[in-house]
Amino acid sequence: MSRPACVRPVPSQSAPLRPRRRMLSAGGCLVALVLVLTPVLAGCDGAAAQGSTPTGAATTQALVTVPDVVGMKGDVATEALEKAGLTQTPSYTDVDGKESVWKPSNWSVTAQDPVAGTQVPADQAITLTVNHDSAKAAASARASASAAAQASASASAAAAAEEQARQEAARAAEEQAQQQAQQEAQTEQSQTQEQSDGSSGTYYADCADAWAAGAAPLHQGEPGYRSGLDRDNDGIACEWKPARTESDQTQVQEQSDGSSGTYYKNCAEARAAGAAPIYRGEPGYRSGLDRDNDGIACERK
């Protein structure tokens, strides 16, 4: 397109019209210039628009599917994300929020963000929530050790209580045995004291026994004499023959089990006289001393 020429105005002989004509001439030149430049500028804008289309298409990124890495070790999870096409190294967050992750292989993934199956750009950062395996194992070991210590303490306490109860029972049994032995010793001592009034170990429970044995009356110093039979303390015991009662007759009947008139009021007397155990037929044997009726009286002390 040819550029229009500016027409120079013809000078007028009239002096007052010159400024107005000059303004009209400048405005016409400006309009002509705009008309010429408008198509040129429009062509440049279209070319720029056509050239920008490939650049925009080139900036569009492909999406990557986030894999499931929950349950994996930290380092294994990182490899899985890289194999899936994610380019950013994942960030780690302690599940308890107390520790920093220095060695991912010591941690296990418990959660991930974004979750598995999410479509994200390849440069998307993935956040993995992890748990410290060694710390968890140490805590479990401490808990187990504490439980074992408590169980051991309980068992020791139970054993100590059982041993204490056993010792108390043994002491009670020992005390009871000592009391019984003391009672028996006192009984034997009393009987021995009574027998010491005589000159031998012969003992008569009462005057009826002495008369039945043919030893009455008993003078002081004679076998079988004791102060318990000398009621008037005149040195002669059982000087009068007492009348027999039914009890005396029963004792005489029991004495008939032996081979003589020897009579022992109880087993303590028989032991004090050195006659225990007494077998059926021997002097002093009677059924009243043979508790189990096996023919042997006073066999156990």
Side-chain angles (χ1 to χ4, degrees), residues 191-204 218-230 235 237:
Q191 293 175 354
T192 302
Q193 182 65 30
E194 290 181 349
Q195 293 174 5
S196 65
D197 294 336
S199 58
S200 69
T202 304
Y203 176 80
Y204 301 107
L218 301 172
H219 294 269
Q220 189 172 0
E222 292 181 348
Y225 173 87
R226 59 188 179 88
S227 59
L229 301 179
D230 188 0

Side-chain angles (χ1 to χ4, degrees), residues 8 11 13 49-50 55 62 71 94 96 123 141 145 166 170 215 234 259:
R8 185 185 298 271
Q13 294 180 358
Q50 291 177 0
T55 303
D94 179 16
D96 297 324
D123 60 352
R166 186 190 65 79
D234 61 351
S259 58

